[in-house]
Amino acid sequence: MATEVPSTPHINPQAPIAPTVLLPGDPLRAKFIAETYLDDVRCFNTVRNMLGYTGTYRGHDVSVMGSGMGIPSISLYAWELIHVFGATRVIRVGSCGAMQPDLDVYDIVVAQSASTDSRFLEQYDLPGTYAPTGSYKLLSAVAEQATQQGIDIHVGNILSSDVFYNFRDDVNERWARMGVLAVEMESAGLYAVAAEAGVDALGVFTVSDNLVTGAQTTSSERESAFTQMMELTLPLAGLE
Ligand code: HPA
């Protein structure tokens, strides 16, 4: 009897899913990454149009799937990818808003840790403040790639916020004073889900706007920054 392929409320796999999964927020970005950078691409998920693809990068299996926006979305997809489909490396590739004046648009930020204003971590009922942390294995591999490829990266603490349009206008400034580099909306949830499962997670971002200086990206230059981010993260599929 054929073994039944598991499915979940959000992922109904039509093709295998690789142990290494890249997670851009936008499902059409996942399609673009698969079609641009991978060989032998097969679509594995179309549920809710949260497109997922599996292919190979330099001979190594890798999947790429949309995560949606925000901690609730990425954390449910990561949970299912890890617990049901055996993912052992979950890597967010996205954009962030810089909170420090010396970060330029198109710069690359790697989230060593992810502070958050979300209540997601409260479910773990820990007797203190948990520090969602990226995988050192993945982080050191990205740093090594950056050195080899001559790409500058900024490594540090980011903020994963539930709020894109803040009611108060001093919020970002307060996080910035604690050395937080940039804001996005997903990584703290991804890191917590991965940590609890004992697997590796990392967030790598291109700066799309600077909240201090007001600088913003233009679409033509966005493309090359995006390519750099992919060339730093896709080789993670080949790690032992
Ligand atoms: N806030 C949250 N997420 C983001 C931002 C921002 O300003 N810019 C890019 N991603």
Side-chain angles (χ1 to χ4, degrees):
M1 203 172 75
T3 14
E4 200 155 319
V5 180
S7 78
T8 67
H10 311 100
I11 304 174
N12 183 17
Q14 307 299 307
I17 303 176
T20 301
V21 186
L22 299 191
L23 294 162
D26 179 352
L28 291 178
R29 203 27 96 72
K31 183 170 192 275
F32 174 81
I33 292 169
E35 288 171 353
T36 309
Y37 300 101
L38 306 187
D39 298 317
D40 308 318
V41 173
R42 293 167 73 187
C43 181
F44 73 78
N45 193 57
T46 58
V47 178
R48 287 179 181 250
N49 286 326
M50 199 54 89
L51 303 172
Y53 300 85
T54 299
T56 60
Y57 181 75
R58 298 184 185 154
H60 299 285
D61 292 342
V62 60
S63 293
V64 54
M65 179 177 175
S67 70
M69 286 181 285
I71 287 174
S73 186
I74 197 168
S75 62
L76 77 85
Y77 287 113
W79 194 97
E80 292 177 0
L81 288 166
I82 294 165
H83 290 278
V84 182
F85 302 109
T88 55
R89 290 174 193 152
V90 283
I91 301 139
R92 169 162 153 69
V93 285
S95 66
C96 64
M99 288 172 145
Q100 302 290 342
D102 59 328
L103 279 180
D104 289 329
V105 289
Y106 314 113
D107 278 2
I108 291 186
V109 172
V110 182
Q112 182 173 15
S113 51
S115 300
T116 189
D117 57 21
S118 161
R119 291 188 60 201
F120 183 82
L121 300 172
E122 289 183 18
Q123 66 176 309
Y124 300 105
D125 200 19
L126 296 164
T129 306
Y130 180 72
T133 306
S135 155
Y136 181 71
K137 178 176 173 171
L138 300 184
L139 173 53
S140 54
V142 165
E144 199 181 304
Q145 280 293 328
T147 307
Q148 275 176 24
Q149 298 180 35
I151 297 171
D152 285 333
I153 58 172
H154 303 267
V155 180
N157 193 4
I158 63 154
L159 172 66
S160 300
S161 179
D162 278 351
V163 185
F164 190 89
Y165 299 106
N166 284 294
F167 174 65
R168 285 179 59 145
D169 57 16
D170 63 345
V171 175
N172 292 332
E173 157 69 15
R174 292 163 73 190
W175 289 104
R177 281 173 60 187
M178 293 302 290
V180 172
L181 299 178
V183 56
E184 52 84 73
M185 307 187 79
E186 292 82 17
S187 297
L190 178 70
Y191 286 7
V193 167
E196 193 275 330
V199 305
D200 290 303
L202 192 65
V204 181
F205 313 92
T206 56
V207 173
S208 60
D209 49 306
N210 188 308
L211 306 178
V212 187
T213 65
Q216 287 188 343
T217 51
T218 61
S219 59
S220 58
E221 286 174 293
R222 221 174 278 154
E223 181 81 24
S224 76
F226 183 76
T227 301
Q228 285 189 341
M229 179 172 68
M230 297 319 304
E231 286 174 352
L232 290 176
T233 51
L234 283 165
L236 296 174
L239 283 184
E240 285 307 306

